[in-house]
Amino acid sequence: MATMEPRDFSDIWAFVRVVETGSFSEAARRMGTTKANISKQVARLEKALHAKLLNRSTRKLGLTEAGSAIFQHGLRMIEEAKALEATAAGLQAGPGGTLRVSASVAFGTSCLAGLLPVFMERYPDIRVVLSMTDRYVDLVEEGIDVALRLAPRIDTASLVARPIAPIRYVLAAAPAYLDKHGTPTRVEDLQAHRCLGFGNGGAPLTWEFEGAGGKASVGLDTALAANSSLALNAAMLGGAGIALLPAYVVDEDLRRGAAVQVLPALRPTGFSGDRVYAVYLENRFLPPKVRVFIDYLLETIGPQQPPQQG
């Protein structure tokens, strides 16, 4: 196993600058040293880690798989060192730097993107990079500062999961579909309808509900399965069937009459849990940019259902 020495931090800094600038010469210029010295530092880091970090050619530099991971770690080390230095010196005038945020496509589009303009105006020194994907994101490997996650449970072994807001789910259908196929009045009636479910379609779905009479559930063979709430909503609006959706995806369609809530007296249990969390790496010195972003989410969403941004 590689053994790191205190001096290796400066070597990591040099490596990060080489990757950022794409050139040993430019990295040396910005760091006020020589190209030979930068090259020596990167070679020393590779030796300490027993891993090749860069693929070099006469025209360009490329990161190896190990180099990509070390680059993300290095960025965090540099940002945390700067934040610690500024705090200790009393020079932290305000949060700044690049804030990398990950969210699902549906939540990012329907809720988060519309909240960013006010945040960016309030903190003009923070540059936001929003990455929207429905796959699991490794915060360390992909250099993410905060991930907004909807999940029944979150592994907090090395992460902090801060509850941000509850998530409400609804059953909805297009008026034309209900006019043609009828409106369910009991949970059992759903088995006679075309139901649209979140997932890969590998197994029948079970929808669970709570109401005044207690809990109820129904097993369904879905007519359409998709791993995107936005796709399910679009299919529902087109008359494909009854869909179980997060309220922040479908609320606007319900308000304008493009969709109708089905079994409104019952509360469906969500397929991704009942809460959205802000997930970030455990860190005694939480970067100010992360702290103010989470505070802003709590301020704008708080204990309320996330609003759909139109």
Side-chain angles (χ1 to χ4, degrees), residues 99-103 107-108 111-119 122-123 128 130 145-149 162-166 276-280 289-307 309:
L99 177 70
R100 296 173 176 84
V101 181
S102 172
F107 186 83
C111 296
L112 185 57
L115 299 176
L116 291 178
V118 174
F119 175 79
R122 185 179 298 182
Y123 301 104
V128 179
L130 175 59
D145 294 300
V146 184
L148 281 304
R149 287 184 179 165
R162 181 84 177 271
I164 295 297
V276 58
Y277 293 87
V279 179
Y280 52 94
K289 62 183 180 181
V290 175
R291 176 178 51 77
V292 298
F293 181 67
I294 293 173
D295 287 346
Y296 177 73
L297 292 179
L298 290 169
E299 172 191 330
T300 52
I301 302 176
Q304 305 303 315
Q305 165 75 17
Q309 302 296 318

Side-chain angles (χ1 to χ4, degrees), residues 100-114 116 128-137 142 144 146-148 230:
R100 296 173 176 84
V101 181
S102 172
S104 69
V105 176
F107 186 83
T109 302
S110 301
C111 296
L112 185 57
L116 291 178
V128 179
V129 177
L130 175 59
S131 174
M132 295 192 296
T133 178
D134 291 325
R135 63 175 175 80
Y136 177 84
V137 173
E142 302 187 41
I144 298 298
V146 184
L148 281 304
L230 294 179

Side-chain angles (χ1 to χ4, degrees), residues 145-214:
D145 294 300
V146 184
L148 281 304
R149 287 184 179 165
L150 290 73
R153 62 180 61 87
I154 294 177
D155 181 9
T156 57
S158 60
L159 300 171
V160 177
R162 181 84 177 271
I164 295 297
I167 299 298
R168 179 171 55 87
Y169 291 80
V170 297
L171 283 181
Y177 172 85
L178 297 177
D179 288 344
K180 183 176 181 180
H181 299 280
T183 300
T185 58
R186 304 176 305 157
V187 169
E188 294 79 8
D189 295 343
L190 292 172
Q191 293 179 319
H193 284 265
R194 291 186 296 177
C195 294
L196 319 180
F198 188 92
N200 57 17
L205 290 182
T206 298
W207 283 353
E208 299 180 345
F209 305 85
E210 293 183 5

Side-chain angles (χ1 to χ4, degrees), residues 22-23 37 48-49 100 104 164 167 182 192 204 234 241 253 259 275 286 294 306 310:
S23 162
N37 191 48
L49 295 172
R100 296 173 176 84
S104 69
I164 295 297
I167 299 298
D253 297 314
R275 192 164 297 274
L286 187 65
I294 293 173

Side-chain angles (χ1 to χ4, degrees), residues 26 158 163 282:
E26 181 60 21
S158 60
E282 189 172 15

